[in-house]
Amino acid sequence: MAKKFIIGVDLGGTNLKIALLDLKYRIKDKNILSTQVCLKKENLISTIADAINKIIENNRIKRTDILGIGLGLPGPVDIKRGLVHFLPNIAGYTEVNFAQILKRRLGLPVSLDNDANLMCLAEYKLGAAKGFKNIVCLTLGTGVGGGIIIEGKLYRGSNDAGGEIGHIPINERGPRCNCGGIACLETYIGNNSILREARRLFRRDISLEELSSLAKKPDKRAQALWSKIGGRLGVALVGVVNLLNPDCIVIGGGVAGAGKILFARLREVISRQAMSVQSRHLKIVKARLGNNAGLIGAAILVKERVRL
Ligand SMILES: [Zn+2]
């Protein structure tokens, strides 16, 4: 019987999102849960399974109409075995076979991938990078994720763990990163370090949204901080541009909302420091699919793998 739906799941450091999509990747229903609240419950995977059951029941869908479940996880994964090696920003999930456990609980096929790979896939097929062939995608949040498409295909590396742009070191010495490395890009431009710097600058707690709107006012201190972040990101991307010679870089996630200043500084650093042949025709664009990119990518993963 022809399948009609796909379930997309996107686990992030902040939110767990579950969506029902049709085979044209249109979101029919979506639930957002707090990851922190889910982690307080006994078992994160059971919570995910319950949330999937709930969305199936609420929409009165037959299980036989579902092609599969696509799951995006914020860490390095083993795609064939369906497990995550570890989650840098969620403790306690080392070598856990999410796909097998969920499959057993739900009786549906489960495919999983790194969340940034899925975002990259979505932006490539349906979003800001549509029409390009060599793409680097970044998602800026609690963690800094990355995905790479080479000649129209997702590049995963020999252990499915490639594309970790957030863990490119930008200094010889610096803060220790959750991944075990030192001075990774993520330790400089991850949400937590931006908020820490903002707190020092304004001598109070300040949210990323407020920091963005202050910069638009314009508040000189907020502008200088976003410019500094754009500069650091730029340094890492100069290396990426020289190495991979992409035709398009897509930047998404909360920090991308800082907009003009961040992008202006980033472009300036790349045009000044990257090799001219690689950077001349490069497009740097803002992600288009927003918070739904991971869910749409998860659905693409299911559909492309199963092949109708
Ligand atoms: Zn790292």
Coordinates of all heavy atoms in Angstrom, one line a residue, residues 41-130:
K41 N 13.0 13.2 33.0 CA 12.2 11.9 33.0 C 13.1 10.7 33.0 O 14.3 10.9 32.7 CB 11.2 11.9 31.9 CG 10.1 13.0 32.0 CD 9.1 12.9 30.9 CE 8.1 14.1 31.1 NZ 7.4 14.3 29.9
E42 N 12.5 9.6 33.3 CA 13.4 8.4 33.5 C 14.2 8.0 32.2 O 15.3 7.7 32.3 CB 12.5 7.2 33.8 CG 13.1 6.3 34.8 CD 12.0 5.4 35.4 OE1 11.3 5.8 36.2 OE2 12.0 4.2 34.9
N43 N 13.6 8.1 31.1 CA 14.3 7.7 29.9 C 13.9 8.5 28.7 O 12.8 8.6 28.3 CB 13.8 6.2 29.6 CG 14.6 5.6 28.5 OD1 14.9 6.2 27.5 ND2 15.0 4.3 28.7
L44 N 14.9 9.1 28.1 CA 14.7 10.1 27.0 C 14.1 9.3 25.8 O 13.2 9.9 25.1 CB 16.1 10.7 26.6 CG 16.1 11.6 25.4 CD1 15.3 12.8 25.6 CD2 17.5 12.0 25.0
I45 N 14.6 8.1 25.5 CA 14.1 7.4 24.3 C 12.6 7.0 24.5 O 11.8 7.1 23.6 CB 15.0 6.1 24.0 CG1 16.4 6.6 23.9 CG2 14.5 5.5 22.7 CD1 17.4 5.5 23.6
S46 N 12.2 6.6 25.7 CA 10.8 6.4 26.0 C 10.0 7.6 25.8 O 8.9 7.6 25.2 CB 10.6 5.9 27.4 OG 11.2 4.7 27.6
T47 N 10.5 8.8 26.2 CA 9.8 10.0 26.0 C 9.6 10.3 24.5 O 8.5 10.7 24.1 CB 10.6 11.2 26.7 OG1 10.9 10.8 28.0 CG2 9.8 12.5 26.7
I48 N 10.6 10.1 23.7 CA 10.5 10.3 22.3 C 9.5 9.3 21.7 O 8.6 9.7 20.9 CB 11.9 10.0 21.6 CG1 12.9 11.1 22.0 CG2 11.8 10.1 20.1 CD1 14.3 10.9 21.5
A49 N 9.5 8.0 22.1 CA 8.6 7.0 21.6 C 7.1 7.5 22.0 O 6.2 7.4 21.1 CB 8.9 5.7 22.2
D50 N 6.9 7.9 23.2 CA 5.6 8.3 23.7 C 5.1 9.5 22.8 O 4.0 9.6 22.4 CB 5.6 8.8 25.1 CG 5.8 7.6 26.1 OD1 5.7 6.4 25.6 OD2 6.2 7.8 27.2
A51 N 6.0 10.5 22.5 CA 5.7 11.6 21.8 C 5.3 11.3 20.3 O 4.4 11.8 19.7 CB 6.8 12.6 21.8
I52 N 6.0 10.3 19.8 CA 5.7 9.8 18.4 C 4.3 9.1 18.4 O 3.4 9.4 17.6 CB 6.8 8.8 17.9 CG1 8.1 9.6 17.7 CG2 6.3 8.1 16.6 CD1 9.3 8.7 17.4
N53 N 4.0 8.3 19.4 CA 2.7 7.6 19.5 C 1.6 8.6 19.6 O 0.5 8.5 19.0 CB 2.7 6.7 20.7 CG 3.3 5.3 20.4 OD1 3.2 4.9 19.3 ND2 3.9 4.7 21.4
K54 N 1.9 9.7 20.4 CA 0.9 10.7 20.6 C 0.5 11.5 19.3 O -0.7 11.7 19.0 CB 1.4 11.7 21.6 CG 0.3 12.5 22.4 CD 0.9 13.2 23.5 CE 0.0 14.4 23.8 NZ 0.7 15.4 24.6
I55 N 1.5 11.8 18.5 CA 1.3 12.5 17.3 C 0.5 11.6 16.3 O -0.3 12.1 15.5 CB 2.6 13.2 16.7 CG1 2.2 14.4 15.9 CG2 3.3 12.2 15.8 CD1 3.4 15.3 15.6
I56 N 0.8 10.3 16.3 CA 0.1 9.4 15.4 C -1.4 9.3 15.8 O -2.3 9.4 15.0 CB 0.8 8.0 15.5 CG1 2.2 8.0 14.9 CG2 0.0 6.9 14.7 CD1 3.0 6.8 15.1
E57 N -1.6 9.1 17.1 CA -3.0 9.0 17.6 C -3.7 10.3 17.4 O -4.9 10.3 16.9 CB -2.9 8.7 19.1 CG -2.7 7.2 19.4 CD -2.2 7.0 20.8 OE1 -2.5 7.8 21.7 OE2 -1.4 6.0 21.0
N58 N -3.1 11.5 17.8 CA -3.8 12.7 17.6 C -4.3 13.0 16.2 O -5.3 13.7 16.0 CB -3.0 13.9 18.1 CG -2.8 13.9 19.6 OD1 -3.5 13.2 20.3 ND2 -2.0 14.8 20.1
N59 N -3.5 12.5 15.2 CA -3.9 12.8 13.8 C -4.6 11.6 13.2 O -4.9 11.6 12.0 CB -2.6 13.1 13.0 CG -2.0 14.4 13.4 OD1 -2.5 15.5 12.9 ND2 -1.1 14.5 14.3
R60 N -5.0 10.6 14.0 CA -5.7 9.4 13.6 C -5.2 8.8 12.3 O -5.9 8.6 11.3 CB -7.2 9.8 13.3 CG -7.9 10.3 14.6 CD -9.1 11.0 14.3 NE -9.5 11.8 15.5 CZ -10.6 11.5 16.3 NH1 -11.4 10.6 15.9 NH2 -10.8 12.2 17.3
I61 N -3.9 8.6 12.4 CA -3.1 8.0 11.3 C -3.0 6.5 11.5 O -2.7 6.1 12.6 CB -1.8 8.6 11.2 CG1 -2.0 10.1 11.0 CG2 -0.9 8.0 10.1 CD1 -1.6 10.8 9.8
K62 N -3.0 5.7 10.5 CA -2.8 4.3 10.6 C -1.3 4.1 10.5 O -0.6 4.7 9.7 CB -3.5 3.5 9.5 CG -5.0 3.3 9.7 CD -5.5 2.4 8.7 CE -6.1 3.2 7.6 NZ -6.5 2.6 6.4
R63 N -0.7 3.2 11.3 CA 0.7 2.9 11.3 C 1.2 2.4 9.9 O 2.3 2.7 9.5 CB 1.1 1.9 12.3 CG 1.6 2.5 13.6 CD 1.5 1.5 14.7 NE 1.4 2.3 15.9 CZ 2.3 2.8 16.6 NH1 3.6 2.6 16.3 NH2 2.1 3.6 17.7
T64 N 0.3 1.7 9.2 CA 0.6 1.2 7.9 C 0.8 2.3 6.8 O 1.3 2.1 5.8 CB -0.4 0.2 7.4 OG1 -1.7 0.8 7.6 CG2 -0.3 -1.1 8.1
D65 N 0.3 3.5 7.2 CA 0.4 4.7 6.3 C 1.8 5.4 6.5 O 2.1 6.4 5.8 CB -0.7 5.7 6.5 CG -2.0 5.2 5.9 OD1 -1.9 4.3 5.0 OD2 -3.1 5.7 6.2
I66 N 2.5 5.0 7.5 CA 3.8 5.7 7.8 C 5.0 5.0 7.1 O 5.2 3.8 7.3 CB 4.0 5.8 9.3 CG1 2.8 6.6 9.9 CG2 5.3 6.5 9.6 CD1 2.8 6.6 11.4
L67 N 5.7 5.8 6.3 CA 6.9 5.2 5.6 C 8.0 4.9 6.6 O 8.7 3.9 6.4 CB 7.4 6.2 4.6 CG 8.5 5.9 3.7 CD1 8.2 4.7 2.8 CD2 8.9 7.1 2.8
G68 N 8.2 5.8 7.6 CA 9.3 5.5 8.6 C 9.5 6.7 9.5 O 8.8 7.8 9.3
I69 N 10.4 6.6 10.4 CA 10.8 7.7 11.3 C 12.2 8.1 11.0 O 13.1 7.3 10.9 CB 10.7 7.1 12.8 CG1 9.2 6.8 13.1 CG2 11.2 8.2 13.7 CD1 9.1 5.9 14.3
G70 N 12.4 9.4 10.9 CA 13.7 10.0 10.7 C 14.1 10.7 12.0 O 13.3 11.5 12.5
L71 N 15.3 10.5 12.4 CA 15.7 11.1 13.7 C 17.0 11.8 13.6 O 18.0 11.3 13.1 CB 15.8 9.9 14.7 CG 16.4 10.2 16.1 CD1 15.6 11.1 16.9 CD2 16.6 8.9 16.8
G72 N 17.1 13.1 14.0 CA 18.3 13.9 14.0 C 18.8 14.0 15.4 O 18.1 14.4 16.3
L73 N 20.1 13.7 15.6 CA 20.7 13.7 16.9 C 21.9 14.7 16.9 O 22.7 14.7 15.9 CB 21.1 12.3 17.4 CG 20.0 11.3 17.6 CD1 20.6 9.9 17.8 CD2 19.1 11.7 18.8
P74 N 22.1 15.4 18.0 CA 23.2 16.4 18.0 C 24.5 15.8 18.5 O 25.1 16.1 19.5 CB 22.7 17.4 19.0 CG 21.9 16.7 20.0 CD 21.3 15.5 19.2
G75 N 25.1 14.9 17.7 CA 26.4 14.2 18.0 C 26.8 13.3 16.9 O 26.0 13.1 15.9
P76 N 28.0 12.7 17.0 CA 28.4 11.8 15.9 C 27.7 10.5 16.0 O 27.4 9.9 17.0 CB 29.9 11.6 16.2 CG 30.1 12.0 17.6 CD 29.0 13.0 18.0
V77 N 27.2 10.0 14.8 CA 26.4 8.8 14.7 C 27.0 7.7 13.9 O 27.9 8.0 13.1 CB 25.0 9.1 14.1 CG1 24.2 10.1 15.0 CG2 25.1 9.7 12.7
D78 N 26.6 6.5 14.1 CA 26.9 5.4 13.2 C 25.6 5.1 12.4 O 24.7 4.5 13.0 CB 27.4 4.2 14.0 CG 27.8 3.0 13.1 OD1 27.1 2.8 12.0 OD2 28.7 2.2 13.4
I79 N 25.5 5.5 11.2 CA 24.3 5.4 10.4 C 23.8 4.0 10.2 O 22.6 3.6 10.4 CB 24.4 6.2 9.1 CG1 24.6 7.6 9.4 CG2 23.2 6.0 8.2 CD1 25.0 8.5 8.3
K80 N 24.8 3.1 9.8 CA 24.4 1.7 9.5 C 23.8 1.0 10.7 O 22.8 0.3 10.7 CB 25.6 0.9 8.9 CG 25.8 1.2 7.5 CD 26.6 0.1 6.8 CE 27.1 0.5 5.5 NZ 28.2 1.4 5.5
R81 N 24.5 1.2 11.9 CA 24.0 0.5 13.1 C 22.9 1.3 13.8 O 22.3 0.7 14.7 CB 25.2 0.3 14.0 CG 26.2 -0.8 13.5 CD 27.5 -0.7 14.1 NE 27.5 -1.1 15.5 CZ 28.5 -0.7 16.4 NH1 29.5 0.0 16.0 NH2 28.4 -1.1 17.6
G82 N 22.8 2.5 13.5 CA 21.7 3.3 14.1 C 22.0 3.8 15.5 O 21.0 4.0 16.3
L83 N 23.3 4.0 15.8 CA 23.6 4.5 17.1 C 24.3 5.8 17.1 O 24.8 6.3 16.1 CB 24.4 3.4 17.9 CG 25.8 3.0 17.4 CD1 26.9 4.0 17.8 CD2 26.1 1.7 18.0
V84 N 24.2 6.4 18.3 CA 24.9 7.7 18.5 C 26.1 7.4 19.4 O 26.0 6.6 20.4 CB 24.0 8.8 19.1 CG1 23.6 8.5 20.5 CG2 24.7 10.1 19.1
H85 N 27.3 7.9 19.0 CA 28.5 7.6 19.8 C 28.5 8.3 21.1 O 28.8 7.8 22.2 CB 29.8 7.9 19.0 CG 30.0 7.1 17.8 ND1 30.2 5.7 17.9 CD2 30.0 7.4 16.5 CE1 30.3 5.2 16.7 NE2 30.2 6.2 15.8
F86 N 28.2 9.6 21.1 CA 27.9 10.4 22.3 C 27.2 11.7 21.9 O 27.3 12.1 20.7 CB 29.2 10.7 23.0 CG 30.2 11.6 22.3 CD1 30.3 12.9 22.7 CD2 31.0 11.1 21.3 CE1 31.2 13.8 22.1 CE2 31.9 11.9 20.7 CZ 32.0 13.3 21.1
L87 N 26.7 12.4 22.8 CA 26.0 13.7 22.6 C 26.8 14.7 23.4 O 26.7 14.8 24.6 CB 24.6 13.7 23.0 CG 23.7 12.6 22.3 CD1 22.3 12.5 22.9 CD2 23.6 13.0 20.8
P88 N 27.6 15.6 22.7 CA 28.5 16.5 23.4 C 27.8 17.4 24.5 O 28.3 17.7 25.5 CB 29.1 17.3 22.3 CG 29.0 16.6 21.1 CD 27.8 15.7 21.3
N89 N 26.5 17.7 24.1 CA 25.9 18.7 25.1 C 24.7 18.0 25.9 O 24.0 18.7 26.5 CB 25.4 19.9 24.3 CG 26.5 20.7 23.8 OD1 27.4 21.1 24.5 ND2 26.6 20.9 22.5
I90 N 24.6 16.7 25.8 CA 23.6 16.0 26.6 C 24.3 14.8 27.2 O 24.7 13.8 26.5 CB 22.4 15.5 25.8 CG1 21.7 16.7 25.1 CG2 21.4 14.7 26.7 CD1 20.5 16.3 24.1
A91 N 24.5 14.8 28.5 CA 25.3 13.7 29.1 C 24.6 12.4 29.2 O 23.3 12.4 29.3 CB 25.8 14.2 30.5
G92 N 25.3 11.3 29.2 CA 24.7 10.0 29.6 C 24.2 9.2 28.4 O 23.5 8.2 28.6
Y93 N 24.5 9.6 27.1 CA 24.1 8.8 26.0 C 25.3 8.4 25.1 O 25.4 8.8 24.0 CB 23.0 9.6 25.2 CG 21.7 9.6 26.0 CD1 21.5 10.6 26.9 CD2 20.8 8.6 25.8 CE1 20.4 10.7 27.7 CE2 19.6 8.7 26.6 CZ 19.4 9.7 27.5 OH 18.3 9.7 28.3
T94 N 26.1 7.5 25.6 CA 27.3 7.0 24.9 C 27.0 5.7 24.3 O 26.5 4.8 25.0 CB 28.4 6.9 25.9 OG1 28.6 8.2 26.6 CG2 29.7 6.5 25.2
E95 N 27.2 5.6 23.0 CA 27.0 4.3 22.2 C 25.6 3.8 22.4 O 25.4 2.6 22.8 CB 28.1 3.3 22.6 CG 29.5 3.7 22.5 CD 30.0 4.1 21.1 OE1 29.4 3.5 20.1 OE2 30.8 5.0 20.9
V96 N 24.6 4.6 22.3 CA 23.2 4.2 22.5 C 22.6 4.0 21.1 O 22.6 4.9 20.3 CB 22.4 5.2 23.3 CG1 21.0 4.8 23.4 CG2 23.1 5.4 24.7
N97 N 21.9 2.8 21.0 CA 21.3 2.5 19.7 C 19.9 3.0 19.6 O 18.9 2.3 19.9 CB 21.4 1.0 19.4 CG 21.2 0.7 17.9 OD1 20.3 1.3 17.3 ND2 22.1 -0.1 17.4
F98 N 19.7 4.3 19.4 CA 18.4 4.9 19.3 C 17.5 4.3 18.3 O 16.3 4.0 18.6 CB 18.6 6.4 19.0 CG 18.8 7.3 20.1 CD1 20.1 7.4 20.7 CD2 17.8 8.2 20.6 CE1 20.4 8.3 21.7 CE2 18.1 9.1 21.6 CZ 19.4 9.1 22.2
A99 N 18.1 3.9 17.1 CA 17.2 3.4 16.0 C 16.6 2.0 16.4 O 15.4 1.8 16.3 CB 18.1 3.3 14.8
Q100 N 17.5 1.2 17.0 CA 17.0 -0.2 17.3 C 15.9 -0.1 18.4 O 14.9 -0.8 18.4 CB 18.2 -1.0 17.8 CG 18.0 -2.5 17.6 CD 19.3 -3.2 18.0 OE1 19.7 -3.2 19.2 NE2 20.1 -3.7 17.0
I101 N 16.2 0.7 19.5 CA 15.3 0.8 20.6 C 13.9 1.3 20.1 O 12.9 0.8 20.4 CB 15.9 1.7 21.7 CG1 17.2 1.1 22.2 CG2 14.9 1.8 22.9 CD1 18.0 2.0 23.1
L102 N 14.0 2.4 19.3 CA 12.7 3.0 18.8 C 12.0 2.1 17.9 O 10.7 2.0 17.9 CB 13.0 4.3 18.1 CG 13.3 5.5 19.0 CD1 13.7 6.7 18.2 CD2 12.1 5.9 19.9
K103 N 12.7 1.4 17.1 CA 12.1 0.4 16.1 C 11.4 -0.7 16.9 O 10.2 -1.0 16.6 CB 13.2 -0.2 15.3 CG 12.7 -0.9 14.0 CD 13.9 -1.4 13.2 CE 13.4 -2.5 12.3 NZ 14.5 -3.2 11.6
R104 N 12.0 -1.2 17.9 CA 11.4 -2.2 18.8 C 10.1 -1.7 19.5 O 9.1 -2.3 19.5 CB 12.4 -2.7 19.8 CG 12.2 -4.1 20.2 CD 13.2 -4.6 21.2 NE 14.6 -4.6 20.7 CZ 15.6 -4.2 21.4 NH1 15.5 -3.8 22.6 NH2 16.8 -4.2 20.9
R105 N 10.2 -0.5 19.9 CA 9.1 0.1 20.7 C 7.9 0.5 19.8 O 6.8 0.4 20.2 CB 9.5 1.4 21.4 CG 10.5 1.2 22.6 CD 9.7 0.9 23.8 NE 8.6 1.8 24.1 CZ 8.6 2.7 25.0 NH1 9.7 2.9 25.8 NH2 7.6 3.5 25.2
L106 N 8.2 0.9 18.5 CA 7.2 1.5 17.7 C 6.8 0.6 16.5 O 5.7 0.9 15.9 CB 7.6 2.9 17.2 CG 7.9 3.9 18.3 CD1 8.7 5.0 17.7 CD2 6.5 4.4 18.8
G107 N 7.6 -0.4 16.2 CA 7.3 -1.3 15.1 C 7.3 -0.5 13.7 O 6.6 -0.9 12.8
L108 N 8.2 0.5 13.6 CA 8.3 1.2 12.4 C 9.8 1.4 12.0 O 10.6 1.4 13.0 CB 7.7 2.6 12.5 CG 6.2 2.7 12.5 CD1 5.7 4.1 13.0 CD2 5.6 2.5 11.1
P109 N 10.2 1.4 10.7 CA 11.6 1.6 10.4 C 12.1 3.0 10.9 O 11.4 4.0 10.8 CB 11.6 1.5 8.9 CG 10.2 1.6 8.4 CD 9.3 1.3 9.6
V110 N 13.3 3.0 11.4 CA 13.9 4.2 11.9 C 15.3 4.5 11.2 O 16.1 3.6 11.2 CB 14.1 4.1 13.4 CG1 14.8 5.4 14.0 CG2 12.8 3.8 14.2
S111 N 15.4 5.7 10.7 CA 16.7 6.1 10.1 C 17.2 7.3 11.0 O 16.4 8.1 11.3 CB 16.6 6.6 8.7 OG 16.0 5.7 7.9
L112 N 18.5 7.3 11.2 CA 19.0 8.5 12.0 C 20.3 9.1 11.3 O 21.0 8.4 10.6 CB 19.2 8.2 13.5 CG 20.3 7.1 13.9 CD1 21.7 7.6 13.8 CD2 20.0 6.8 15.4
D113 N 20.5 10.3 11.7 CA 21.7 11.0 11.2 C 22.0 12.1 12.1 O 21.2 12.5 13.0 CB 21.5 11.5 9.8 CG 22.8 11.7 9.0 OD1 23.9 11.9 9.6 OD2 22.8 11.6 7.7
N114 N 23.2 12.7 12.0 CA 23.5 13.9 12.7 C 22.6 15.1 12.4 O 22.2 15.2 11.2 CB 25.0 14.3 12.4 CG 25.4 15.6 12.9 OD1 25.3 16.6 12.3 ND2 25.9 15.5 14.1
D115 N 22.2 15.9 13.3 CA 21.2 16.9 13.1 C 21.6 18.0 12.1 O 20.8 18.4 11.3 CB 20.7 17.6 14.4 CG 21.8 18.2 15.2 OD1 23.0 18.0 14.9 OD2 21.5 18.9 16.2
A116 N 22.9 18.3 12.1 CA 23.4 19.3 11.2 C 23.4 18.8 9.8 O 23.2 19.5 8.8 CB 24.8 19.8 11.6
N117 N 23.7 17.5 9.6 CA 23.6 16.9 8.3 C 22.2 17.0 7.7 O 22.0 17.2 6.5 CB 24.0 15.4 8.3 CG 25.5 15.1 8.4 OD1 26.3 16.1 8.2 ND2 25.9 13.9 8.6
L118 N 21.2 16.7 8.6 CA 19.8 16.8 8.1 C 19.4 18.2 7.8 O 18.7 18.4 6.8 CB 18.9 16.2 9.2 CG 19.1 14.7 9.5 CD1 18.2 14.2 10.5 CD2 19.0 13.9 8.2
M119 N 19.9 19.2 8.6 CA 19.6 20.6 8.2 C 20.2 20.9 6.8 O 19.5 21.5 6.0 CB 20.2 21.5 9.3 CG 20.0 22.9 9.0 SD 21.5 23.9 9.4 CE 21.1 25.5 8.8
C120 N 21.4 20.4 6.6 CA 22.1 20.7 5.4 C 21.3 20.0 4.2 O 21.1 20.7 3.2 CB 23.5 20.1 5.5 SG 24.6 20.5 4.2
L121 N 20.9 18.8 4.4 CA 20.1 18.1 3.4 C 18.8 18.9 3.0 O 18.5 19.1 1.9 CB 19.7 16.7 3.9 CG 19.4 15.6 3.0 CD1 20.6 15.4 2.1 CD2 19.2 14.3 3.8
A122 N 18.2 19.4 4.0 CA 16.9 20.2 3.8 C 17.2 21.5 3.1 O 16.5 21.8 2.2 CB 16.2 20.4 5.2
E123 N 18.2 22.2 3.5 CA 18.5 23.5 2.9 C 18.9 23.3 1.4 O 18.7 24.1 0.6 CB 19.6 24.3 3.6 CG 19.1 24.8 5.0 CD 18.0 25.9 4.9 OE1 17.9 26.5 3.8 OE2 17.4 26.2 5.9
Y124 N 19.6 22.1 1.2 CA 20.0 21.8 -0.2 C 18.8 21.4 -1.1 O 18.7 21.9 -2.2 CB 21.0 20.6 -0.1 CG 21.3 20.0 -1.4 CD1 21.8 20.7 -2.5 CD2 21.2 18.6 -1.6 CE1 22.1 20.1 -3.7 CE2 21.5 18.0 -2.8 CZ 21.9 18.7 -3.8 OH 22.2 18.1 -5.0
K125 N 17.9 20.6 -0.6 CA 16.8 20.1 -1.4 C 15.7 21.2 -1.6 O 15.1 21.3 -2.6 CB 16.2 18.9 -0.8 CG 17.1 17.6 -0.8 CD 16.9 16.8 -2.1 CE 17.9 15.7 -2.1 NZ 17.8 14.9 -3.3
L126 N 15.4 21.9 -0.5 CA 14.3 22.8 -0.5 C 14.5 24.2 0.0 O 13.6 25.0 -0.1 CB 13.2 22.2 0.4 CG 12.7 20.8 0.2 CD1 11.9 20.3 1.4 CD2 11.8 20.7 -1.1
G127 N 15.7 24.5 0.4 CA 15.9 25.8 1.1 C 16.9 26.7 0.4 O 16.9 26.8 -0.8
A128 N 17.7 27.4 1.2 CA 18.6 28.4 0.7 C 19.7 28.0 -0.3 O 20.2 28.8 -1.0 CB 19.2 29.1 1.9
A129 N 20.0 26.7 -0.2 CA 21.1 26.2 -1.1 C 20.6 25.4 -2.3 O 21.4 24.8 -3.0 CB 22.0 25.3 -0.2
K130 N 19.3 25.5 -2.6 CA 18.8 24.8 -3.7 C 19.4 25.3 -5.0 O 19.6 26.5 -5.2 CB 17.3 25.1 -3.8 CG 16.5 24.1 -4.5 CD 15.0 24.4 -4.3 CE 14.2 23.6 -5.3 NZ 12.8 24.0 -5.3

